[in-house]
Amino acid sequence: PFALIITHAIELPSSMANQKNSSRLTSPALNAVAFKGTVLLACLCITQLAQIELAQNAWAERDPIEEANKFKHDGKLEKALKVLEDALKKDKKENPELHFQYGVLLETTGDLLAAKTQFQDVIKLAPNGPNAETARKSIADIESQLAEKVSSKKGAKGPKTGTIGIK
């Protein structure tokens, strides 16, 4: 598309200059102005196309963690989860940071078992990575929370009622 724009930018003033009956272009100076204006217009078009292409590339290569954090900050946890879920589906490198951030978000929403799985993936993928120790602590916290839930459910049933024994 760029070559086409430049070709038209160069051809347009020449064809206009060849029109002998044209009252618009009567001197070489006017021809030069028309040519420069056309070239300027072509340059502006090229700049716009380049900006559009850059914006499309930026959107395609956006950082899913940043995007999810923005949604999380705005209180849109479901959208944040979706962004990270999609990123994990597309992730061919098995990025431990994606798993870690997804685990944090799942823990925030109360999905403790799924969060634990993500933290386990972080440790499996990068046992000495920057988030490995935090993932280990999160797993321990989750296990503690799950144990508390189990014990509180048992306690919620109330004490066993005694049976009257017959002697």
Side-chain angles (χ1 to χ4, degrees):
F2 299 126
L4 184 64
I5 291 170
I6 292 170
T7 302
H8 286 293
I10 293 169
E11 289 176 359
L12 183 63
S14 327
S15 65
M16 291 173 76
N18 290 335
Q19 296 175 357
K20 293 182 181 177
N21 295 330
S22 174
S23 60
R24 292 185 305 192
L25 298 174
T26 57
S27 73
L30 287 176
N31 283 338
V33 169
F35 179 74
K36 286 181 183 178
T38 306
V39 170
L40 180 60
L41 181 62
C43 290
L44 288 173
C45 289
I46 291 169
T47 302
Q48 284 294 91
L49 288 172
Q51 287 175 346
I52 291 168
E53 188 174 341
L54 285 173
Q56 288 172 339
N57 288 342
W59 177 252
E61 296 175 7
R62 69 188 188 279
D63 181 8
I65 294 171
E66 280 185 31
E67 188 177 0
N69 283 334
K70 181 184 179 305
F71 283 129
K72 182 180 175 184
H73 182 329
D74 293 343
K76 299 175 181 177
L77 297 180
E78 292 301 318
K79 284 188 176 186
L81 284 169
K82 179 76 171 125
V83 167
L84 292 177
E85 285 172 14
D86 291 346
L88 283 168
K89 287 177 187 174
K90 295 175 187 173
D91 183 35
K92 303 296 183 216
K93 298 177 190 171
E94 289 290 320
N95 183 345
E97 181 68 19
L98 276 176
H99 288 277
F100 180 77
Q101 294 299 327
Y102 190 46
V104 169
L105 196 56
L106 287 167
E107 189 174 15
T108 301
T109 62
D111 192 348
L112 299 179
L113 291 175
K116 181 181 173 183
T117 301
Q118 292 304 313
F119 292 133
Q120 289 169 334
D121 287 345
V122 170
I123 295 166
K124 181 179 75 175
L125 293 169
N128 299 316
N131 295 317
E133 191 57 37
T134 307
R136 286 183 186 89
K137 288 178 184 175
S138 295
I139 290 170
D141 289 344
I142 289 170
E143 287 174 345
S144 174
Q145 290 176 46
L146 292 173
E148 284 179 28
K149 284 185 178 184
V150 169
S151 67
S152 68
K153 284 184 180 180
K154 286 181 183 176
K157 292 180 183 177
K160 284 190 174 182
T161 54
T163 57
I164 301 175
I166 302 178
K167 291 188 181 186

